[in-house]
Amino acid sequence: MTSGTAIVQVGVVVIAVLGLWIGARALVDATVRVARRFGVGELTIGLTIVAMGTSTPELVVTVDAALAGLGEIGVGNIIGSNAYNLAFILGAVSLLRVIPVERSLVHRDGAALVLSTLVGAAALFDRTVTGVEGALLAGLFVAYTAYLVRDERTARSIDTEYADSRVTGAIPDGLSERGRDALLLVGGLALVLVSGHFMVEAASTLARSAGVSDWAIGGTIVAAGTSTPELAVSLVAMRRGHVGMSVGNVVGSNVFNVLGIMGIAAFLRPLAVGGAAIETVLWLTVVTVVMVVALWSGRRLSRTEGALFVCSEVSRWTLGLLRIFG
């Protein structure tokens, strides 16, 4: 790669980051207004609609890889993204502010996060996810989502927000305002997804020019790139005081990635992986259990704990890019 091409790719990354931030702000503000209008909690919105929306890059990459017979790339993207979401994104968010956590997130969704990770690890234990296993995984995700909606209607939890929690402007319940919110919601999500796509492409090109292997790229750079929507939304949501959406987005995305996305991909075409994928799955399992225990212990994630999680992800990246681990 020539120096001129490298400069162009770096420029694409910078523009993509800007697009992610603008899109995330529009998405968060519109989603919060819609949630309040319909009486739906921010945590539930983050766990479902926002989580599935920001996980669209993982869905596209994994399904494409599955249909092309590249199971390792597809699974590596899912597992790498989940590790990045928990360790780096939640860790980075906690460095901005100590994260207080709702009781429902610790007990209900923390348990769902651990169980979904264990189920995914069990499905990958023989290094193959069959079509039947994929259908079962997808079915579990549908059941979990239905349970969230039912629980929201019967016993809505109180959203955890900071005193300066805000959304741009007080929006009356009129048709034009609803239309504007819908436009901001769709437009913000589209901008986040498109920016994330270009960031993945540019970062992957730069990495390949440096001689980094495809597996390492899939488990680190591409995984982080497809998780940039989650990072942008979670950071913006936290800075604007919407803690439930910030944390729920990460937890919901991880559950959707393992159950929904891996299930859909395997149903379309069985996924086969190698030993490197199993190593990363074990790493993810440990990170998930430790994260939930950290949240359970004090119903919050401190800056010190967040810094340790960020360091763990930096270590995984370093070991992966040096071909020592995963």
Side-chain angles (χ1 to χ4, degrees):
M1 178 185 294
T2 64
S3 59
T5 302
I7 292 174
V8 170
Q9 296 300 327
V10 171
V12 170
V13 171
V14 173
I15 295 174
V17 170
L18 180 61
L20 282 167
W21 197 256
I22 295 174
R25 289 192 61 174
L27 177 61
V28 169
D29 283 352
T31 302
V32 170
R33 283 197 295 264
V34 171
R36 289 177 177 173
R37 181 177 295 128
F38 288 99
V40 180
E42 291 176 13
L43 175 58
T44 300
I45 289 292
L47 286 164
T48 54
I49 298 174
V50 177
M52 286 185 278
T54 55
S55 285
T56 302
E58 285 92 335
L59 176 62
V60 173
V61 169
T62 301
V63 169
D64 283 348
L67 293 177
L70 303 173
E72 285 200 348
I73 293 179
V75 175
N77 175 53
I78 289 175
I79 303 304
S81 293
N82 278 18
Y84 181 84
N85 287 348
L86 283 179
F88 188 84
I89 295 181
L90 278 189
V93 167
S94 70
L95 293 178
L96 294 177
R97 280 173 164 163
V98 174
I99 302 178
V101 181
E102 291 185 39
R103 184 182 300 275
S104 61
L105 179 65
V106 175
H107 294 277
R108 180 193 65 190
D109 305 306
L113 179 60
V114 172
L115 288 175
S116 64
T117 303
L118 292 176
V119 168
L124 288 166
F125 185 74
D126 59 355
R127 300 186 182 183
T128 302
V129 184
T130 66
V132 173
E133 290 172 332
L136 291 174
L137 291 174
L140 287 173
F141 176 73
V142 172
Y144 170 64
T145 304
Y147 172 76
L148 285 178
V149 174
R150 180 185 177 189
D151 189 55
E152 173 72 21
R153 291 177 177 175
T154 57
R156 180 170 176 263
S157 60
I158 299 175
D159 288 314
T160 304
E161 297 186 36
Y162 287 105
D164 62 344
S165 172
R166 59 193 184 278
V167 60
T168 305
I171 305 298
D173 196 21
L175 179 61
S176 61
E177 287 75 17
R178 290 182 179 180
R180 185 174 69 176
D181 285 342
L183 182 62
L184 285 174
L185 188 66
V186 175
L189 179 59
L191 183 56
V192 165
L193 296 178
V194 170
S195 300
H197 168 75
F198 280 106
M199 185 173 184
V200 170
E201 292 294 324
S204 298
T205 299
L206 290 170
R208 286 194 180 95
S209 68
V212 180
S213 68
D214 284 345
W215 171 254
I217 292 174
T220 56
I221 297 172
V222 172
T226 55
S227 288
T228 46
E230 285 93 335
L231 175 61
V233 169
S234 291
L235 286 175
V236 170
M238 178 60 72
R239 287 183 63 86
R240 300 176 80 80
H242 307 301
V243 183
M245 184 181 297
S246 180
V247 181
N249 171 48
V250 171
V251 174
S253 292
N254 276 27
V255 175
F256 179 52
N257 287 349
V258 172
L259 299 182
I261 295 179
M262 191 161 71
I264 292 171
F267 179 75
L268 294 175
R269 183 168 181 172
L271 302 170
V273 298
I278 302 302
E279 291 180 358
T280 310
V281 168
L282 293 176
W283 182 289
L284 171 63
T285 302
V286 172
V287 169
T288 300
V289 172
V290 173
M291 174 63 76
V292 172
V293 169
L295 295 176
W296 194 298
S297 62
R299 289 183 57 191
R300 66 173 194 154
L301 188 65
S302 67
R303 287 186 173 89
T304 300
E305 291 169 333
L308 291 175
F309 278 111
V310 170
C311 289
S312 75
E313 185 63 3
V314 172
S315 299
R316 185 180 73 85
W317 271 53
T318 302
L319 294 174
L321 294 176
L322 293 176
R323 303 182 183 182
I324 298 174
F325 175 84

